[in-house]
Amino acid sequence: MDNYTKQKINRLHPSIQAEVITIVNECNTALKGKAKIRITQGFRTFEEQNLLYNQGRTHPGKKITNAKPGQSIHNYGFAVDICLIIEDKIASWDTAKDWDNDKIADWYECVKIFAKFGWEWGGNWKKFKDLPHFEKRGHNNWRKLIKLKQDTNGYVILKKEYYA
């Protein structure tokens, strides 16, 4: 696991950090060729979300999100975006490439591993496909998360009522 990925994991909600480490390690074990998984996005502040939301609207560039601040699961630390790093230097978002020649696209090997741990893949969404995006099921309702109190580090405090 590369240092960039470790840094992104360390900023995720503490309740899922260990699980994400396990997922990344399983992905890297499954990818026996040139590719390894890298987390490119994790926790995102409301300010960072606002900058992304304004891109293509009030700032130059292509629209990349429909989520306003508070409406992204990234804002609560329960989502990651990934890419594959080829030979430790080239970022790839190619979902079809089979770098390890095992007849399964490397990206989909990772999709299966995330799913095994109860993560939803943005590539399965009907309206806005977000291929690099994965979010933890059970924590992916921003309307509930935005109402929760935060701890001193800014993470939402999960209570049993959240799951009801």
Side-chain angles (χ1 to χ4, degrees):
M1 179 181 323
D2 67 5
N3 285 331
Y4 191 83
T5 295
K6 288 177 186 175
Q7 290 172 3
K8 294 297 181 183
I9 291 171
N10 287 337
R11 291 194 65 214
L12 293 172
H13 195 281
S15 68
I16 65 164
Q17 289 178 6
E19 181 174 279
V20 174
I21 290 169
T22 300
I23 291 169
V24 168
N25 286 336
E26 282 198 27
C27 287
N28 285 339
T29 298
L31 303 175
K32 298 185 184 338
K34 304 173 186 180
K36 296 296 176 203
I37 186 174
R38 172 176 281 176
I39 294 178
T40 60
Q41 284 282 303
F43 174 78
R44 205 182 284 150
T45 66
F46 282 28
E47 292 78 21
E48 290 168 325
Q49 189 68 36
N50 193 49
L51 288 172
L52 291 176
Y53 180 78
N54 287 334
Q55 185 175 319
R57 292 178 176 85
T58 59
H59 291 78
K62 178 184 166 193
K63 284 184 187 177
I64 56 173
T65 184
N66 291 324
K68 294 178 181 179
Q71 296 178 347
S72 171
I73 301 309
H74 284 286
N75 299 147
Y76 306 97
F78 294 113
V80 298
D81 293 344
I82 69 163
C83 74
L84 297 177
I85 294 294
I86 313 308
E87 296 179 335
D88 295 323
K89 57 187 171 197
I90 300 167
S92 172
W93 288 266
D94 186 337
T95 60
K97 186 71 175 162
D98 179 19
W99 296 97
D100 57 6
N101 297 312
D102 63 359
K103 310 258 188 281
I104 304 167
D106 290 358
W107 196 275
Y108 290 97
E109 290 184 64
C110 293
V111 168
K112 283 177 67 175
I113 292 167
F114 272 95
K116 178 175 98 172
F117 285 89
W119 287 68
E120 181 178 336
W121 178 43
N124 288 331
W125 296 346
K126 300 231 185 294
K127 289 186 180 181
F128 179 76
K129 297 219 180 260
D130 190 355
L131 300 178
H133 182 87
F134 296 84
E135 56 188 51
K136 181 65 177 169
R137 285 190 193 107
H139 298 308
N140 58 351
N141 186 333
W142 65 265
R143 287 179 176 86
K144 287 184 178 182
L145 290 168
I146 203 165
K147 296 177 185 177
L148 297 177
K149 292 182 180 178
Q150 296 178 345
D151 67 16
T152 55
N153 295 312
Y155 296 110
V156 292
I157 301 169
L158 300 176
K159 296 185 177 183
K160 289 180 185 177
E161 307 86 64
Y162 174 81
Y163 301 101

